Amino acid sequence: MSGMNTEIVKVDAANIDETVIEKAADIIKNGGLVAFPTETVYGLGANALDADASKKIYEAKGRPSDNPLIAHIASLDTLDEIVEDVSDVAKKLIDKFWPGPMTLIFNKKPNVPDSTTGGLDTLAVRFPSNEIAMELIKKSGVPIAAPSANTSGKPSPTKGEHVIEDLDGKVDMIIDGGEVGLGLESTIIDVTGEPTILRPGFITQEMLEQVIEEVKLDQTILEKPTEDFAPKAPGMKYRHYAPKADLIIVRGEANKVADWIIKEAAKSDKKTAILTVNQHIDFYEGKANDSIVASWGDLNDMEDIAHKVFNWLRKIDEMGIDIVYCEAFEEEGLGLAVMNRLTKAAGYQVIDV
Ligand code: TXA
Ligand code: MG
C-alpha cells in the first residue's frame, strides 16, 4: 500500500544523528506520524495532545478507534501535565522502573483528547529508556502517543524491516534503529485503584511485588474474554499478534506433549511445523519427519525466548506454514508474558495433554 511518501532513515542509537531527530520532531509538532524504536517494540508516534494527529494513527494501523494509545514521556514534569492522582504506589513504581518497559494507567487531565484515550477517562503513560525514543520525545516537546508500529492484528514489530513492511506509504517517517532490545511490549499496570497488571511484560509480577505490596493479575491475561468478562485493556480483546497459520499450543509433561504433537502432525496433510526448545528436541528426532522442527533455544533463557516471539510469528507466515504446534511455557515470571502473547496469537487454542 502506498499513498504518502515515507522517509526511511537509519539511526544508530550509540551515535544519534541529531538532524534526523530534529526533522522527526518537526513532523510530530506539525501533527504528522513518525515510527521509532523503543526498548520494547517499535512505536508509531504522533502528538498525544493533538486530536487530529492521534486519529491519524488509527487510520495508518487500521486500528479500532476504541483502543486507547499509550502516551510516551521523557520527563516526570510532563506526567503532571497530563494525569491526576499519582498515588504513592505509582510513585514507588516510577522510582524503580522508569525509564523502562512499564506503562501505568492514571486518571487523565482534560487536555488529553478523547481520540488518544479511545474515549476513556484514564490515560496509559510510559517513559521509555531507548535513547532514540527519549531524544525524539524531548525534541518534540510534547508527549508522544504511540501504539506498536504494526498493522492492527499483526505481530508487533521488533525490527525496522517489520515496520517498513507494515507502514511504508502510510506514515511520514520511519526511524530504523535496528533490532529492539527486549522484543515484547511493556508491562501495563492500572494504578487508578488496586494495582493490577493488564498486560504482562518484562517487568514481572514478582519484580513489582518487591517494590509494592500486592499486584493483581487481570483475569483476561490468559483466559478468553467474553461479553460479560471484558479485559480492562481494550486492546487485549482483539485477536492479536496473529499469524495466518493455525497456531496450537500444547501443555503438559514434555514427553507427552511431544507424543501428542507427533501424532497430530502425522494425521495432517498440511504443511506443519513444531516449535520446541533445546531441552526437548530429542523427543522429535526421527519421529516428525513431515514437519519442520524448530527450537526457541534454551528453555532456561526466557529473556531470549521472549525476544523471539514476534519474530517467529512473522517468520511462520513467510515460510508458508499452515499449522504450528507450539509447546507451552510455564506461566510464571517472564513465561506469563510469553504465554499471554502466544495464547492470543493462537486464538486461545491451548490443549492440555
Ligand atoms: O511497549 C509498549 O507498550 C509499546 C511501545 C511502542 O511503547 N506500545 C504498545 O502500544 O504496545 P499498543 O497500543 O500496541 O498497546 C497498548 C495497550 C492496548 O492493549 C490498549 O488497549 C491498552 O494498552 N491501553 C491503553 N490505554 C489504556 C487505558 N487508559 N486503560 C486500559 N488499557 C489501556
Ligand atoms: Mg500493539
Side-chain angles (χ1 to χ4, degrees), residues 99-120:
M102 176 183 77
T103 296
L104 298 178
I105 311 273
F106 299 98
N107 292 317
K108 78 173 189 77
K109 282 199 168 146
N111 59 333
V112 181
D114 277 349
S115 57
T116 296
T117 62
L120 296 178

Side-chain angles (χ1 to χ4, degrees), residues 204-335:
T204 61
Q205 186 181 26
E206 293 82 349
M207 287 160 75
L208 295 165
E209 287 184 339
Q210 285 177 1
V211 180
I212 57 173
E213 225 156 76
E214 203 200 343
V215 185
K216 299 208 151 93
L217 288 177
D218 188 69
Q219 222 179 326
T220 59
I221 284 175
L222 293 171
E223 286 172 47
K224 186 174 184 167
T226 61
E227 254 180 49
D228 36 36
F229 172 49
K232 292 210 186 68
M236 303 290 270
K237 72 174 173 276
Y238 299 105
R239 182 164 183 218
H240 231 125
Y241 319 120
K244 292 184 204 91
D246 206 12
L247 175 64
I248 298 163
I249 299 171
V250 192
R251 189 163 50 193
E253 262 173 66
N255 59 333
K256 287 188 188 146
V257 166
D259 286 347
W260 188 91
I261 291 176
I262 290 162
K263 257 191 225 142
E264 281 300 303
K267 275 192 233 160
S268 170
D269 48 16
K270 295 195 167 149
K271 193 164 174 191
T272 54
I274 299 166
L275 276 174
T276 179
V277 290
N278 292 354
Q279 281 85 342
H280 303 159
I281 205 145
D282 284 351
F283 291 133
Y284 300 92
E285 204 94 89
K287 293 190 202 156
N289 296 329
D290 293 331
S291 297
I292 295 167
V293 180
S295 174
W296 289 97
D298 180 355
L299 179 58
N300 298 316
D301 190 352
M302 280 312 289
E303 289 202 8
D304 181 53
I305 290 172
H307 188 90
K308 290 171 175 162
V309 169
F310 290 130
N311 233 341
W312 263 121
L313 292 177
R314 280 189 186 247
K315 229 186 261 171
I316 284 165
D317 283 339
E318 279 164 26
M319 292 164 74
I321 293 163
D322 300 308
I323 306 176
V324 184
Y325 301 95
C326 176
E327 292 178 357
F329 293 96
E330 293 278 349
E331 289 148 18
E332 59 181 30
L334 198 45

Side-chain angles (χ1 to χ4, degrees), residues 36 38 40-44 61 63 66-70 72 101 103 105-106 116-117 120-124 126 128 146-150 156 184-188 190 198-199 232-236 240-241:
F36 62 97
T38 81
T40 57
V41 299
Y42 275 78
L44 170 56
K61 275 184 65 101
R63 179 178 174 112
D66 67 343
N67 191 1
L69 307 173
I70 297 174
H72 294 66
T103 296
I105 311 273
F106 299 98
T116 296
T117 62
L120 296 178
D121 296 329
T122 52
L123 175 66
R126 185 159 99 79
S148 48
N150 50 291
S156 296
L184 278 191
E185 308 94 332
S186 59
T187 306
I188 302 180
D190 186 344
L198 306 187
R199 179 177 71 184
K232 292 210 186 68
M236 303 290 270
H240 231 125
Y241 319 120

Side-chain angles (χ1 to χ4, degrees), residues 25-48:
D26 280 337
I27 293 171
I28 298 282
K29 283 185 220 165
N30 291 316
L33 299 182
V34 177
F36 62 97
T38 81
E39 71 278 22
T40 57
V41 299
Y42 275 78
L44 170 56
N47 180 353

